[in-house]
Amino acid sequence: MSDFPWLTMLWALPVAGAVAVMLVPARQRTVARAVALGFAAAVLVVGIVIAVRFQPGGDQFQFIESRSWIPAFGAGYTLGVDGIALVLVLLTAALTPLLILAGWHDERPTFTVPGARPTRHAHVYVALILLVEAMVLISFVSLDILLFYVFFEAMLIPMYFLIGGFGPRVGDAALRRQRSRAAVKFLLYNLFGGLIMLAAVIGLYVLTAREELGAHGSGTFDLRTVMVAANSGQLGAAPAVLNALFLGFMFAFAVKAPLWPLHTWLPDAAVAATPASAVLMMAVVDKVGTFGMLRYCLLLFPDASSTYAPLVVTLAVIGIVYGALLAIGQTDVMRLIAYTSISHFGFIILGIFAMTSQGQTGATLYMVNHGISTAALFLVAGFLVSRRGTRMIAEYGGVQKVAPVLAGTFLIAGLATLSLPGLAPFVSEFLVLIGTFTRYRWAAAIAVVALVLAALYVLWLYQRMMTGPVREGNDRLYDLVPRELAVVVPLIGALIFLGVYPKPVLDLIDPAVGQTLTTIGKHDPEPSVPTLPEAGAAERQGNR
């Protein structure tokens, strides 16, 4: 494998892109957007190169880069990628150029961004998107706990300005006043969770200051070292201490994921932001939370994860049903889609803490599929709202008669959201339910209810907005333009391709999930029904 620093290149390119965008002359807005798009496309190329060179089933972490960072604290610049991180890297790298293209005209500010002249708002907008991408990517590939934490928190700053500083181009005055409030709520929730996690990071560092770990009296933040120590009992801490540290990490990830009842910031932030920024938050940034549960909670605290798994599974099931029920009652199309994400994140967390190979494979695949389906549905809805000037569902009707392509893509994205067989989310949701049923039958049985609720809110939404007579004001709507088609078509294509043939992604995920479960000493439950030969023998014995 090449010694070229591919993972450093992965996150350094968007940072360089953000700097390059800000060097573009102030009035060259189109050039600034084009530069950002070019750098985002380059990141995708690097991600594809890494995927091609990656060896599924090989070493758990590949493309290792390790350099000294803060030697006095045992912190290093250590990067590496496994199959789980790789698919999320590809999701992030693929979505970012589409989001820049989708938000081509979404630079109208709702308040003055510090240090930005009025003519540079387009520059700031795309630069912030690139900075978020960079911080998310380094979070996925970090193998140093402190390095991960720094960027886990740092990504909140550009995301805060994207939410509060650049709102949708439509909305009444009251909604515009709520944008800064939603941005502050997003920041406070996630900062508080991060501070709790910081205390846990420090506590874990203190536990690693042991001679047998090779730290020579000082602690270490190296994930691989701590992971081996945690799973071999070398940390030497009481179960109560490890449980407390697990809760510190889990709380931060549950806020970002978001897990019920720590979810309340998400609908407000999703509605306040531009559609592209909202998708960046829900489809990319929030995945760092669920990724953290797999990478840090399970690998560093295997016993505590098992102890609290029933509680987390219960909260996930509540979130699944709760999000679906609230989605049904929404009158705002964008808020409705935001609540569906709360339900879908419940499925992801359910699969993670079922601690079975099918559950965790399904959960990882669900992270990818949710990102694609949410991006498709939210962006198409955003295109429609920008034309009509309102998010109220009751104001629409008959859209399929005046904008059939827009209505058709909206329907496909909606059907993907309800996990229709043949579209990508079905495979992941099916795996999560199968994996959960083998260990928590009651949880899987309740979660199935959400499938019916999803069909209800998606089909009813489509009926109210797209079918029937053309309502007044909708007759002037126009169909998707080439730029919008360039955004939507790849997303719809990915939903169909991964729904029919998910093997390429599963080939990356399966070995990594197997290595994770082996590391923490978890195995799939034995079948609780007799095998076919046993059943046949019992039947013959009965006939005698």
Side-chain angles (χ1 to χ4, degrees):
M1 188 176 294
S2 172
D3 292 331
F4 186 80
W6 289 107
L7 298 183
T8 295
M9 179 69 69
L10 189 69
W11 70 264
L13 270 176
V15 172
V19 174
V21 164
M22 296 308 296
L23 294 177
V24 173
R27 298 191 180 278
Q28 300 294 325
R29 299 180 182 181
T30 301
V31 174
R33 299 185 191 105
V35 169
L37 184 61
F39 273 92
V43 174
L44 177 58
V45 171
V46 172
I48 293 173
V49 170
I50 293 172
V52 170
R53 291 171 172 261
F54 187 81
Q55 300 173 3
D59 295 337
Q60 182 173 9
F61 298 111
Q62 300 178 31
F63 297 92
I64 300 294
E65 298 178 32
S66 183
R67 297 178 181 84
S68 179
W69 180 32
I70 312 177
F73 293 154
Y77 175 77
T78 309
L79 307 181
V81 66
D82 64 353
I84 295 172
L86 180 56
V87 296
L88 295 175
V89 164
L90 291 174
L91 172 69
T92 304
L95 283 182
T96 303
L98 296 180
L99 296 180
I100 292 173
L101 198 58
W104 200 256
H105 301 297
D106 287 343
E107 75 277 1
R108 183 176 299 178
T110 56
F111 61 74
T112 301
V113 178
R117 296 192 298 275
T119 55
R120 299 189 69 88
H121 287 302
H123 301 57
V124 173
Y125 180 72
V126 292
L128 289 173
I129 291 177
L130 289 174
L131 287 177
V132 172
E133 180 189 27
M135 294 177 183
V136 169
L137 289 173
I138 195 172
S139 298
F140 286 145
V141 302
S142 174
L143 294 182
D144 184 273
I145 300 171
L146 183 62
L147 183 67
F148 170 83
Y149 173 78
V150 168
F151 288 97
F152 179 84
E153 289 290 89
M155 71 179 69
L156 301 178
I157 299 172
M159 199 67 237
Y160 164 78
F161 286 113
L162 282 173
I163 295 171
F166 299 91
R169 302 181 70 189
V170 297
D172 57 30
L175 289 175
R176 286 194 292 271
R177 287 193 297 270
Q178 292 173 6
R179 287 170 191 154
S180 59
R181 191 181 310 165
V184 170
K185 187 176 182 180
F186 160 83
L187 188 64
L188 291 180
Y189 265 68
N190 284 274
L191 274 179
F192 180 69
L195 290 174
I196 299 297
M197 179 178 167
L198 177 60
V201 168
I202 295 173
L204 186 63
Y205 171 80
V206 171
L207 291 182
T208 61
R210 303 169 62 86
E211 290 292 336
E212 54 265 36
L213 298 185
H216 305 294
S218 65
T220 179
F221 290 105
D222 189 289
L223 174 68
R224 295 165 297 174
T225 302
V226 181
M227 178 180 71
V228 171
N231 287 277
S232 60
Q234 295 182 34
L235 289 181
V241 174
L242 295 176
N243 288 346
L245 296 179
F246 164 83
L247 290 175
F249 278 83
M250 184 63 194
F251 183 82
F253 297 145
V255 171
K256 183 158 284 188
L259 175 65
W260 184 92
L262 304 172
H263 67 283
T264 57
W265 61 267
L266 177 63
D268 293 339
V271 170
T274 67
S277 297
V279 171
L280 183 67
M281 177 184 66
M282 293 187 292
V284 176
V285 172
D286 290 354
K287 296 301 188 304
V288 180
T290 48
F291 170 78
M293 295 177 192
L294 264 172
R295 174 60 55 84
Y296 293 91
C297 289
L298 266 61
L299 289 179
L300 299 182
F301 311 102
D303 294 335
S305 297
S306 298
T307 299
Y308 287 99
L311 173 61
V312 177
V313 165
T314 301
L315 296 178
V317 170
I318 293 174
I320 290 169
V321 178
Y322 171 88
L325 286 174
L326 263 65
I328 294 173
Q330 296 304 310
T331 58
D332 181 325
V333 60
M334 310 306 269
R335 189 173 288 271
L336 184 153
I337 299 171
Y339 275 109
T340 67
S341 284
I342 294 173
S343 182
H344 295 151
F345 273 107
F347 275 107
I348 295 170
I349 297 169
L350 179 65
I352 292 172
F353 280 88
M355 295 190 189
T356 60
S357 57
Q358 300 98 329
Q360 291 193 356
T361 297
T364 306
L365 183 60
Y366 211 145
M367 293 185 213
V368 177
N369 292 338
H370 169 265
I372 300 170
S373 61
T374 296
L377 187 59
F378 211 93
L379 291 177
V380 173
F383 294 151
L384 179 59
V385 169
S386 66
R387 288 159 165 73
R388 183 66 174 82
T390 178
R391 300 197 310 264
M392 296 297 103
I393 298 172
E395 296 297 322
Y396 293 90
V399 174
Q400 67 181 13
K401 296 180 180 178
V402 295
V405 176
L406 188 153
T409 53
F410 186 89
L411 177 61
I412 295 173
L415 294 176
T417 298
L418 63 81
S419 298
L420 182 76
L423 296 174
F426 169 77
V427 181
S428 47
E429 197 164 287
F430 182 77
L431 285 172
V432 166
L433 291 173
I434 291 296
T436 302
F437 185 81
T438 59
R439 184 155 284 165
Y440 299 102
R441 295 188 178 185
W442 60 270
I446 297 174
V448 168
V449 175
L451 303 182
V452 179
L453 297 177
L456 179 59
Y457 62 66
V458 168
L459 297 178
W460 191 29
L461 174 67
Y462 184 84
Q463 180 190 37
R464 287 181 289 172
M465 295 185 68
M466 304 297 172
T467 65
V470 179
R471 290 180 59 89
E472 181 180 356
N474 294 334
D475 53 339
R476 297 187 298 274
L477 296 177
Y478 55 93
D479 221 331
L480 296 178
V481 300
R483 174 181 62 83
E484 295 167 337
L485 286 172
V487 173
V488 175
V489 169
L491 296 172
I492 299 298
L495 289 175
I496 296 173
F497 176 79
L498 293 178
V500 176
Y501 190 64
K503 185 177 182 297
V505 180
L506 291 176
D507 285 346
L508 295 174
I509 296 172
D510 280 337
V513 166
Q515 289 168 331
T516 297
L517 291 173
T518 300
T519 300
I520 65 177
K522 285 290 183 180
H523 306 283
D524 291 338
E526 293 292 332
S528 58
V529 294
T531 60
L532 289 177
E534 293 173 348
E539 182 178 354
R540 289 192 298 271
Q541 185 67 28
N543 291 335
R544 292 177 185 173

